[in-house]
Structures are given as C-alpha cells and as structure tokens.
Amino acid sequence: MEERLWTKKYLFSLLLVFGVNMGYALLNSVMAIYGSVLTSSSVVGGYMITVFTLSALFIRLFIKKLNEKINNKNLLIIGLLLTIIAAIGYCFSKNVYLFLLFRIIHGLGFGISLTYATAISNEYVPASRLSEGVGFTSSANTIANAIGPTIALAILGKKYTNFISLFLLLLVISLITFCFSFFIKSSTKSNVDKKEKQSYKGIIICMVFFLATFSQGAVNNYLTSYTKDLGLGNIGLFFTITAVVTFISRFFSKRIQDFFGMRKLSFILTLIMAASVFMISLIKNETQLFLLAIPCGLATGLLFPIFNYRIIQTVNASQFAFATSIYYCGLDIGYGLSAIAWGYVVQYFGYHVIYVLAALLLIVMAMIDQIVYKKI
C-alpha cells in the first residue's frame, strides 16, 4: 500500500514554505522599478536584487554548521525574525544605501527561513514518495513567486508609486508566518560522522542548475520592466497562469517522469523553456505573453524539482537541510548574478536581447546536463 503524503503536518509545512517565499516574491519582481524610482537607473534595481540574493547565498554556506548546533525549527524562527526586521526597515528607508542594508538583512533571513521551511517539509514526506513530495513543496514556492508579482503590481498601481503599502504587506505576512512557525515540530539537527566526506555530486548538479536560474532571471527580474517599456498593462496574469500550470503539472509529474525517464525529460523541458524564453523577445501584446506562460510554467514547474530531487539524492536523510541549501545556492547565484548581468545587457542592447541570449544559454545547458547526468 502506498504511503500517505497529504498529512496535516505536511500541509501545514507547505503553508510555511509559501509564507516564507511570499516575502521574496512580493518585492523581487518590482525591485528594478523601485531602483528607477530612487535613482533613475535600472542597474541600481539590479543591485537591490543582487545584494539580497548574495546575502542569502552567504548564509547558506554556513547552513551545515548552524544545523549542527541549532535545530530546524529554531533556525526557521530566527530567519523569520530577520525578515520582520527588514520589513520594518524598508518602511523607513529614505535612501538607496539604507535600503540596501535592509535588503542584506532580508536576504540573510530569507536564506535561513526558506532553507529550513523546505527541509522540514521534505522531512514530512515518506521516503517512497520523495520525488513527488519535493515537487509539491517546490509548488508552494512557485505559487508564491507567481501570485506575488500580481499582488505587488496591483498594490503599486498604474504609476508604480505605492511602495509603502507593499512593504507593510510584507511585514504582515512575515508576522503571520513567524507566529505559525512556533506550531511546527522539528528537532532535527545535522548529525554526520566527521570522517564522512560530503559528496561533490550535488554541487556539480547545482552548477548545471545555475545556468537554468541565470536564464530564468531574465524573466523573473525584468519581465515587468520589459512589458512596461512595451506599453503593456498589468502582466501579473502571466505569473498567475505560470503558477496554475506548474501546480497542475505536479499531480502528473511522477507519471511523466516514469514515462520519459528523468534524463530525457530534463532535456525536453530545457528545450521547451528555451523556446518559451526566446518567444518572449518577440511578443507584441499581452495575449501572446499570457499564452507563453503555459509552456513556461510547464517547463520550470517540472524541471526545477527534478534538479532539487537529484541534489537531495546525493546526501543521507539527516542532511536534507544541507542538500536544500545547495539547491537554493543555485537559485541565489543564478538570480543574483543575472540581475546585474541582464541589467547591463538591457542598458546597452535593450530588453529583447536578454531573452535571446537566455534562450541560447538554456540550449547550452541542455547539452551539458546530458553529459553530467550520464557521469553522475
């Protein structure tokens, strides 16, 4: 008999993962706009994204050491507390330097809280259904990333000016998630024999995954600015459609993986993602963009959890937080570096070019991943 996945504690953990990620999703998609508001420079918006992601990356480098001393639940609470401090700071920051400081604090809090919220959620998944559970845990992230920009753009209004209300919403969500975190149960600590050598395989897989997140950063970080430049309206529906497609695909992910096999499926999904990103460079209206949300949601919705699962498989069960931190390092580095890199491309060549280059990079990644998959 198949082990039960949808337990109360697993469902509650998904809410925590969703709440943690909403703090990221609300702001990240509009930071390029906020940078322009403060300094009239798209590059500054890129720095706002980059300092956040690099600080999240920095703290994740110490995840294993932290987890040897403090359990998962307490680290989750610490991360959420830092997020609350950052949310309060955003409301009172009147210059870019002070705002960047609180972006760093937010990045530290996000790096800790999302890693442990995800690790706790995966901890509640039966071993026989791990690949499926990882997918649904990832869905909580994806849904937050999809509806977050929609909510953010609605709050900002047509003139993109109501940022204080957005920061207050971040504070409210962070406080609610912080309160909920006290009801979670997880005393897990990292407990690995010091003589045991950590596998390098997860890091190699993560390096390939970085290429996907770097390319996806062109969509996550600059799509709202790109469509604003095109004169389109609120394109938040693109992210909503992406979320819906992603969530629905998770119910069929195991069957799809069994049919194609992970190696072949990874290749197919990467090519679909490349084609979708390239087509964004050609859009003329909102309808075309919304149609592209379907293949985008399908590709990223199935591909990213596959990488997550592959990385988790390289460690033992007590190291889920460590493996999760490796996976999120791929996200942090990819999204962080892409924010600045694509910002400079936009400044000198325009928005269309970044989506063409991102698509080409994904094709290269598809070929590299097939070689890595064969070796590992």
Side-chain angles (χ1 to χ4, degrees), residues 64 190-198 316 318-319:
K64 184 176 179 294
S190 176
N191 185 25
V192 178
D193 189 337
K194 292 183 180 180
K195 295 181 181 179
E196 181 182 344
K197 294 182 178 179
Q198 292 294 343
N316 59 54
S318 69
Q319 290 292 294

Side-chain angles (χ1 to χ4, degrees), residues 7-54:
T7 60
K8 289 182 180 179
K9 61 182 182 180
Y10 178 62
L11 288 169
F12 188 74
S13 72
L14 292 181
L15 288 175
L16 281 177
V17 173
F18 173 80
V20 169
N21 213 59
M22 273 298 290
Y24 161 84
L26 282 172
L27 298 190
N28 212 58
S29 63
V30 296
M31 280 298 95
I33 296 174
Y34 193 58
S36 298
V37 169
L38 289 182
T39 64
S40 301
S41 172
S42 61
V43 174
V44 171
Y47 280 117
M48 289 179 176
I49 298 169
T50 298
V51 297
F52 175 93
T53 51
L54 291 184

Side-chain angles (χ1 to χ4, degrees), residues 53-71:
T53 51
L54 291 184
S55 59
L57 168 64
F58 172 79
I59 197 64
R60 281 178 179 140
L61 298 177
F62 300 94
I63 286 297
K64 184 176 179 294
K65 290 296 182 182
L66 288 171
N67 203 200
E68 288 174 353
K69 301 180 183 299
I70 308 172
N71 65 40

Side-chain angles (χ1 to χ4, degrees), residues 131-148:
S131 64
E132 188 179 0
V134 166
F136 281 110
T137 301
S138 183
S139 288
N141 288 330
T142 305
I143 292 172
N145 283 328
I147 68 174

